[in-house]
Amino acid sequence: MEKTIEPGGVGARIIRVFPRRTRATPDDDLVRVDCQPGLFDEADEIHVSVAFTWDVPKAEKLAEAWKSVAPVKVGGPAYGFPGGEFEPGTYLKNGYVITSRGCPNRCWFCSVPKREGGVRELEIKDGWNVLDDNILACSTAHKEKVFSMLERQRRPIEFTGGLEAARLTAADAISLKALKPRQLFFAYDTPDDYGPLRSAASLLLDAGFSRKSHTLRCYVLIGYPKDTIATALRRLEDTMRLGFLPMAMLWRNEKGTTEHSWRSLQREWARPRIIGAYKNI
């Protein structure tokens, strides 16, 4: 099997195989999730796409199982391969869009800079859920083109890829408010992120966003080395006080192992209805 995924030939029938289903997994007729080939499966190529390093062993087994159908290519973020131009609906569900890759930051817990390097602006395709690694690090011209593309979408706009609070400007906040988004996700990964997150909250509220709408969301990384339940809980509560509805993101090592106490805390702070119990914080 080939350890990379390149586009197939024009008109090629490509079955894409995924080791797990997520909200972003495509759902067309040529997608298979964690399964053996079916009796009537036929293809010119098989692409096994792997997002998480802890799914690599499962992906390797799937690749072996599917090589009886057609030549197999294995790739994806888990293998550290940089992404090329974005092809809507191929490895992400239609509606999800990536307009740039890479990030200028060098966060210790993030593989994006190693895999993608600095920011690369891509050809802009239509979609309503933006997954860029760091779109606010893009040029003003690129951001304006992305916002223009989003304005013509007929679905509620979402930025679930995560926005860097330290790069948010007043102009960005105004442009985002004009899109009437359903969700804007920011990120609170380490204690140093609190100051920029507080400044971003001020800019967003000044632009007209409401604390009560739950449009403003924030990924809060928990469970990383030397983190404690008490300090993680404090970050989650501080995030709510700023006006963001938090979503706890549990740190995992390459094997994907986690501890029960951290999983329990993550579950409590990953569902908006449960978090609602803390609304008076």
Side-chain angles (χ1 to χ4, degrees):
M1 73 191 70
E2 187 176 348
K3 291 292 183 66
T4 184
I5 293 181
E6 299 291 341
V10 176
R13 180 180 173 83
I14 301 173
I15 290 179
R16 287 103 67 216
V17 180
F18 298 82
R20 72 171 64 227
R21 185 180 297 280
T22 70
R23 291 183 179 180
T25 304
D27 53 7
D28 60 81
D29 292 342
L30 293 179
V31 169
R32 306 289 184 272
V33 179
D34 191 17
C35 66
Q36 303 291 309
L39 182 61
F40 300 105
D41 279 327
E42 295 182 356
D44 298 305
E45 292 181 7
I46 306 296
H47 290 185
V48 180
S49 180
V50 197
F52 308 109
T53 54
W54 49 87
D55 281 336
V56 167
K58 181 186 291 186
E60 299 283 343
K61 292 179 180 179
L62 288 169
E64 285 294 324
W66 280 87
K67 70 180 183 181
S68 61
V69 175
V72 175
K73 295 180 179 179
V74 183
Y79 285 92
F81 300 140
E85 287 294 328
F86 176 69
E87 296 297 333
T90 303
Y91 304 109
L92 291 170
K93 186 183 296 183
N94 279 315
Y96 288 78
V97 63
I98 296 174
T99 77
S100 67
R101 299 188 189 276
C103 179
N105 302 331
R106 293 292 183 270
C107 301
W108 65 267
F109 51 82
C110 182
S111 63
V112 168
K114 295 178 182 178
R115 184 177 71 246
E116 303 288 356
V119 172
R120 292 178 286 123
E121 297 175 354
L122 309 178
E123 179 183 351
I124 298 172
K125 309 292 179 64
D126 274 45
W128 52 84
N129 191 335
V130 182
L131 297 183
D132 293 36
D133 298 315
N134 194 337
I135 192 170
L136 293 184
C138 292
S139 66
T140 299
H142 183 83
K143 289 187 292 184
E144 289 177 349
K145 290 177 182 178
V146 173
F147 295 152
S148 179
M149 176 275 290
L150 293 171
E151 286 175 354
R152 64 175 180 262
Q153 303 304 312
R154 297 183 179 181
R155 296 282 295 273
I157 303 306
E158 301 183 64
F159 285 79
T160 60
L163 300 168
E164 185 184 358
R167 294 181 184 273
L168 184 77
T169 66
D172 290 331
I174 293 170
S175 295
L176 290 167
K177 183 64 175 70
L179 294 172
K180 299 179 181 179
R182 178 185 176 189
Q183 294 185 106
L184 297 178
F185 274 90
F186 285 78
Y188 186 0
D189 296 320
T190 67
D192 292 343
D193 291 331
Y194 180 75
L197 191 65
R198 181 175 56 191
S199 297
S202 179
L203 291 174
L204 292 162
L205 294 173
D206 286 347
F209 284 97
S210 167
R211 292 173 179 268
K212 296 181 179 180
S213 68
H214 293 169
T215 297
L216 302 180
R217 303 292 309 277
C218 186
Y219 297 120
V220 180
L221 186 65
I222 66 172
Y224 48 80
K226 297 185 180 181
D227 195 14
T228 68
I229 297 290
T231 55
L233 185 60
R234 187 178 307 119
R235 292 196 303 276
L236 290 160
E237 293 174 345
D238 285 345
T239 300
M240 285 205 72
R241 292 189 183 97
L242 291 178
F244 296 91
L245 187 67
M247 174 177 281
M249 303 294 288
L250 184 54
W251 179 83
R252 297 169 181 260
N253 59 24
E254 290 189 356
K255 294 182 179 179
T257 56
T258 59
E259 296 181 3
H260 174 75
S261 58
W262 283 112
R263 291 196 299 272
S264 179
L265 181 65
Q266 192 272 336
R267 284 193 298 270
E268 291 177 12
W269 287 86
R271 300 174 184 174
R273 289 184 180 180
I274 297 177
I275 299 171
Y278 295 86
K279 63 183 178 181
N280 293 322
I281 288 178

